[in-house]
Amino acid sequence: MIKRIGKRTLALENRPYLLGHAAAVGKKEGEGPLAACFDELSADNFFGQSNWEAAEKEMALRAARLCLKKAETTPDKVSLALAG
């Protein structure tokens, strides 16, 4: 259970734990020295989208789906997700 305290603070009833993680990146990151560390590499920086905003959304959705798959869970079982 998560309780909100103010605008930016959350109080967790239980200790949090990491259930899964995933990273989807664009072409430039895929060409870099950390390429092997990422879960999904896109052939283009726009993930097949027409603009940067749509590409960011697609990248985040792909990473979230991958994370759920790797964690073998579904969105309804996730209490909190952090992304960046």
Side-chain angles (χ1 to χ4, degrees):
M1 185 77 165
I2 299 173
K3 179 181 177 185
R4 184 172 291 281
I5 302 172
K7 290 183 179 182
R8 298 182 181 156
T9 303
L10 301 174
L12 305 176
E13 188 175 295
N14 301 310
R15 289 187 138 220
Y17 58 94
L18 184 64
L19 188 60
H21 63 85
V25 299
K27 184 177 185 222
K28 290 290 184 186
E29 289 90 347
E31 294 171 348
L34 299 176
C37 299
F38 303 121
D39 298 293
E40 182 176 334
L41 307 174
S42 178
D44 70 287
N45 287 323
F46 282 90
F47 288 82
Q49 303 301 309
S50 60
N51 60 59
W52 184 85
E53 289 82 5
E56 284 287 311
K57 178 181 175 182
E58 181 64 23
M59 181 173 59
L61 286 171
R62 288 184 188 193
R65 287 185 196 113
L66 280 166
C67 186
L68 289 168
K69 183 177 179 181
K70 287 172 63 177
E72 297 179 351
T73 193
T74 57
D76 60 306
K77 294 182 180 175
V78 176
S79 299
L80 180 66
L82 302 174

